[in-house]
Structures are given as structure tokens and as C-alpha cells.
Amino acid sequence: MKSSGWLLLTLVGVLVLAGCRAGLLALNTLLLSSAVVALTVPIGCVLAVLTSRTDLPGRRFSAAVLAGLLLVPLFVQAGAWQAALGADGWFTSSIAAPPLIDGWRGAIWIHSVAALPWVVFIVASGLMFVERELEEQALLDGASWQVALQVTLRRSAGAIGIAAVWVALVAAGEMAVTDFFQVRTFAEELYTAFALGDVQPTGGSGDPGANALTVGIPGTAGVWVGMVVIAAMLAGALLLVRGLVSLTRRPGRKSPHVFHLGAWRWFTSASVFVVLGLLAGLPLTSLAWKAGVEVVDAPHGRVRQWSASKCVDMIALNPTIAGGRLKIRHQKELGWSLAVGTIAATACLTLAFPVAWFAGRGGWRTATGLAAVVWLWAVPRPVIGLAIIALMNRPEIPGLTYLYDRTISPLVLACMAHSLPLATLVLWSSFCAVPKEFLENAQLEGANLPQRWWHVVLPLRWRVLVVAWIVAFVWSLAELDASVLVAPPGITPLSSHIFGLLHFGAQDQVAGLCLAFFLAVEIAAAVCWAFLHRWSTASRS
């Protein structure tokens, strides 16, 4: 992993020294990813240990709050923090100072608060595989904190590496937050280039440099830096797959050792709740304040005050009844998103099931099956959008242009590319734990593969299938980076609509939309948590 990082840094350095602007974009991408990893991995490791391996008071509640933040989209995070610390945020207005989140600070902060729950989740999963016998033996010679550092975290180094690669890939391949805060990374510049018409995905102009990957960069340099960045991200995806394969072993039969915090127990719990309040409470409160604030006449002039009824009205998207029918604000965009999300989630589950099953058989099949979908996670999202355009915008093929211009097919493909890796990973982790003796007994009785799926896997894992569908559905609703490029005329999904409104500030309408999205994601996360809890309880019984 270290050698790959040094190789990427060397290539970027050569491009920068050569005075190529493309090298600066690659360097910005690397700096953003590195900063987010440096901020989230240490804090995430501490939170993972505290919430999964200690007697921390309220640790289950803390884990539930962090789990609820896993699927919150980046653009919702950006809107929430903009309502607090942005140019029009309540904190900025109260102290009459420049915004605290702007430019690089804003991009790094938003990516960090969104990535931290993922780091906690991934590292906590790795902590479950640490052998209890090693920890108990080490406790005979050292204190609990020494064992946690030198044994528990060291044995979880693979999971920590997975978390670092995961976070780096997300930060490098995303463009919504960097575009919002005007930080020029490779993905953001590629989106801007397409928006300005400087990228021709089909190469229709005949100029070899017409499909340069960045604005204002000579065609050859743009193509080369694009190849370097994408190759580096694909290498990161392979490292991610390699780390995931190493976690296919089952945890020990004994429950993990619980470290006792002793006299620091309640102080540590209070510190964790402060962090959770910063991650979840402050954004939610800020959105609620922004959605409900209104200007009213007072004896001493016009003043701002908060209205609970207006806040509820904004969250409910201003429902009205016209002509005997219920109508809500942004109804058209919401309808398109629900239609695209439902189709994409169903298609993702259909594809993820056989891929995850193949990957769950162990050995080379695990690496091959995961690599078949994880690369979609690594490729920058605007590149996925350009690939869909190049695939479907072909007038020479009858019917394909109609699908591209008149249907939601390109949006479904974009959402599938975004959701398929995550749905596959959810199913794969559960399929790895299916008792082999059940499958072998069914095979001895003459059951073929579809019959084993129907009679063995589905009864054991139907709750996980529901969770995978919900995750794919929510992730499809949150897809933005590719959808904003491929959306047909007249079809605007809710994510693109919110993204456009955010550029005008987190005012009451967009704050209500973000808060409604936030609460909907939390409800979906609660349903997933309940299903997974019941499944884990049934598995242990």
C-alpha cells in the first residue's frame, strides 16, 4: 500500500514540476484524500474501539447514531453544515465573522464528517476478528490500553487499511462537495469541463484532444493525467479487494473481550456524546433552524424568529390539496427519484445476489467476484457518467438514442453503478457466514443451485436481502455525480435539484428538503438496524 502511494506521489510530482495544470489537479485530489484519511482514521479507530470493545455507557446508542449517518448523502451533509457554519449559517450570522467552512476547509470538513461513520463501521467489523485468547494472554503482562494499542488495533490493521482506502477513494472520486466549495480536483474539473462543453465523450469532433479530461489542458496532457488518476484509483480498489478477502475468516466462537474503562468510563462517554452531537445533532439542529426561521414585523423593526409550524411545513414539502388531490413541493423531482431508485435497487439486488454468492465461496472466487464490482466504486463518478453517455448516445444504433433522450434508462444505469458495489458487499458478508453443512446436505439430497438458494439461503438471509435492497435504494436516491451529467431533458432527480438549490445558499426550502432527506435516511437506517439485529440474534440462537 505504501509503495503504491509513493508511486502516485512521484508521478504527480513529475507532472507538477513539468508545469502541467493537470498535475495540479491530481495533486489537489491526492491532498484532499490524504487530509480526509488523516483526520478520520485516528478518530474513527478510537470510536470503533470504544463503541464495540469497551464497557462504555450508551455504546449501543452511540453505534446506532453512527450507523444512521452511514447513508447520509454528501450534498445533504454540505447543506446541513452550510446552514450552521456557511456564509448564511446561524453561527456565522451570530458572530458576524467570515464562514468557517469555505474552500479547502469546507471540502475537507464535509468529507471527513461523512467518512467518519464508515471508518468506525469498517474498523469495528475488523475488531470482531481479533482472537480473544491473544488479548487475554497479553492482559497478563500489560494494561488494557496497552493491549488495545499493541494487540487489538495491530491485529485489526487490515480493517484499518480497508477504511483508509475506502475513504480515499470516495474523497477522490466525488465532485459535489468540491464543486460546491470550488476546490479543483480531477473529478470536479471533469464535471465542469462537461458542463462547459469542453469534453466530448464520443469524440465526435474528430480532434484527438477533444476528449481531454480537464478544462484548459492540452488534450494529450489531459488524457495522460486522467489515465494516471484512474489507474491509481483502480489500484486502490484492488488493495480494497485484497483487504476484504483477508477478512473472510469467521470470528472466534467466544465473544470478543470487553475492555473496562474504569474511572474514565463516564468522562469517555461524555466525550463520545459530544462528538456525536457534533456529527449528528448540530447539522440536524441547523437545518431545522434554517427551515423554520422567518422574518416578522416587530415594534422595533423587522426581526428573525423561529417558527415550528413553518419548519414542519418545510419538512413536509408544503403539502396542499388542489382539485381533490394532494400536492407537495418538488413533487415531480421526488417522483422521478423514487421511480429511478426503485428500479435501480431491484436491478442491483438481482445482479448482486449471484455476484456475492460467487464471491462468498472463498479463494480466488472471492477476489474475482469482489473485483468485478468494486472497481465501480473506485472510478470517479463523472467518468461513469461520461461512459454512459458514450454508450447510449449513438444515433447509428436504432432505439438507443430514444432510451438515452426520452427515458430514465441512463439515470438507472448511473444509480446502479453507484449502488451495486455496496449492495454486493452487504450480501457477500452475510453469504460468507452461511453454514456450509446446510448447503452440502441440500446438495446431497439432489438440490441444484437455484433450489439451494430458494430453500436454504433465502430462509436464512431474507432479512439481509431486505437490508441490501434498502441500502441500494437509499444510495440510488443519493447518487448525484453521474446523474447530473446523464439526466434526460425534463427529468431532474431530487439529488440534482437539491444540488442546484445549494448553490444559492441553504435557505428555508433547501434546508427543509435536506432535513426531510436526512430524516428519511435515518428511518431507513433504523429499519436496516432492526433487521440486522434480528438476523444476528437468530443466528446466535
Side-chain angles (χ1 to χ4, degrees):
M1 186 179 299
K2 292 182 179 179
S3 60
S4 301
W6 280 110
L7 177 60
L8 175 60
L9 185 60
T10 302
L11 291 173
V12 171
V14 171
L15 290 172
V16 172
L17 291 176
C20 179
R21 182 185 172 194
L24 293 176
L25 293 175
L27 180 60
N28 285 348
T29 304
L30 179 63
L31 289 176
L32 177 64
S33 299
S34 302
V36 175
V37 170
L39 281 175
T40 57
V41 171
I43 300 175
C45 289
V46 174
L47 288 175
V49 174
L50 290 175
T51 56
S52 65
R53 299 295 304 276
T54 70
D55 60 346
L56 181 79
R59 62 186 180 276
R60 291 186 178 178
F61 174 77
S62 301
V65 172
L66 290 169
L69 296 174
L70 285 173
L71 300 180
V72 177
L74 277 168
F75 59 85
V76 174
Q77 291 276 13
W81 286 99
Q82 186 73 1
L85 307 178
D88 296 324
W90 63 266
F91 183 81
T92 305
S93 302
S94 63
I95 64 174
L100 293 180
I101 56 169
D102 191 20
W104 275 94
R105 288 196 308 270
I108 292 173
W109 179 254
I110 298 301
H111 273 291
S112 297
V113 295
L116 186 59
W118 285 100
V119 175
V120 175
F121 172 76
I122 295 172
V123 175
S125 299
L127 292 172
M128 296 295 104
F129 293 94
V130 179
E131 298 84 353
R132 178 167 180 165
E133 295 78 8
L134 291 178
E135 294 174 329
E136 292 177 342
Q137 183 177 358
L139 284 171
L140 299 176
D141 302 320
S144 295
W145 67 269
Q146 292 174 321
V147 176
L149 287 176
Q150 299 177 11
V151 177
T152 306
L153 285 177
R154 183 174 294 181
R155 292 290 293 169
S156 304
I160 297 173
I162 292 174
V165 174
W166 184 284
V167 170
L169 290 177
V170 172
E174 181 277 337
M175 70 85 193
V177 173
T178 51
D179 180 76
F180 185 74
F181 290 104
Q182 296 298 297
V183 174
R184 298 302 181 192
T185 61
F186 172 73
E188 192 279 335
E189 195 79 354
L190 181 58
Y191 161 73
T192 304
F194 179 82
L196 296 176
D198 292 338
V199 172
Q200 301 293 332
T202 58
S205 64
D207 181 5
N211 59 347
L213 296 180
T214 42
V215 177
I217 298 174
T220 303
V223 171
W224 276 107
V225 75
M227 292 175 62
V228 170
V229 172
I230 294 175
M233 296 183 72
L234 290 176
L238 294 178
L239 290 174
L240 178 63
V241 170
R242 181 181 176 183
L244 290 170
V245 171
S246 67
L247 293 181
T248 54
R249 66 183 189 277
R250 295 184 182 181
R253 293 184 178 181
K254 294 183 178 180
S255 59
H257 175 77
V258 176
F259 294 98
H260 297 282
L261 298 175
W264 294 92
R265 191 165 178 256
W266 290 103
F267 174 79
T268 306
S269 178
S271 302
V272 171
F273 279 116
V274 169
V275 174
L276 295 179
L278 180 66
L279 292 176
L282 183 60
L284 280 173
T285 304
S286 301
L287 285 175
W289 175 85
K290 199 71 174 181
V293 70
E294 60 183 3
V295 179
V296 297
D297 292 324
H300 53 281
R302 296 175 66 84
V303 296
R304 284 187 174 187
Q305 69 177 21
W306 189 78
S307 170
S309 60
K310 183 188 176 185
C311 179
V312 173
D313 187 61
M314 289 293 109
I315 296 174
L317 305 182
N318 192 22
T320 58
I321 297 178
R325 299 179 60 183
L326 177 65
K327 293 185 178 181
I328 60 175
R329 186 185 287 127
H330 318 293
Q331 179 174 323
K332 186 177 180 181
E333 293 82 4
L334 179 60
W336 286 122
S337 291
L338 293 177
V340 172
T342 301
I343 297 173
T346 305
C348 279
L349 191 64
T350 304
L351 292 176
F353 191 101
V355 174
W357 176 262
F358 180 79
R361 297 305 89 200
W364 63 271
R365 291 169 294 189
T366 300
T368 304
L370 294 181
V373 294
V374 169
W375 67 271
L376 289 172
W377 190 270
V379 176
R381 313 311 309 164
V383 174
I384 297 292
L386 294 178
I388 294 174
I389 296 173
L391 175 67
M392 300 191 67
N393 189 20
R394 294 188 174 275
E396 67 273 13
I397 301 179
L400 202 57
T401 304
Y402 177 83
L403 293 175
Y404 173 68
D405 285 334
R406 304 291 184 87
T407 70
I408 60 175
S409 299
L411 289 173
V412 171
L413 289 177
C415 291
M416 287 179 61
H418 187 56
S419 306
L420 183 60
L422 195 56
T424 303
L425 292 176
V426 171
L427 294 180
W428 166 74
S429 61
S430 67
F431 287 169
C432 287
V434 174
K436 292 184 178 180
E437 54 270 20
F438 290 1
L439 299 171
E440 292 173 353
N441 291 337
Q443 189 173 8
L444 290 176
E445 294 178 1
N448 54 29
L449 183 58
Q451 290 173 332
R452 294 198 296 273
W453 286 350
W454 182 260
H455 294 290
V456 179
V457 179
L458 285 180
L460 292 175
R461 296 294 182 265
W462 69 268
R463 291 186 178 90
V464 182
L465 289 172
V466 173
V467 170
W469 190 92
I470 294 175
V471 168
F473 177 73
V474 174
W475 218 235
S476 296
L477 295 182
E479 208 292 316
L480 171 65
D481 296 10
S483 297
V484 75
L485 300 180
V486 303
I491 299 178
T492 304
L494 189 62
S495 58
S496 300
H497 185 59
I498 295 176
F499 178 66
L501 292 176
L502 279 174
H503 284 77
F504 298 99
Q507 303 304 323
D508 53 358
Q509 286 193 29
V510 67
L513 268 175
C514 289
L515 187 54
F517 211 124
F518 204 121
L519 295 176
V521 170
E522 295 307 301
I523 294 173
V527 173
C528 292
W529 181 274
F531 271 91
L532 290 177
H533 178 70
R534 291 187 179 182
W535 167 63
S536 60
T537 303
S539 300
R540 289 193 298 266
S541 61

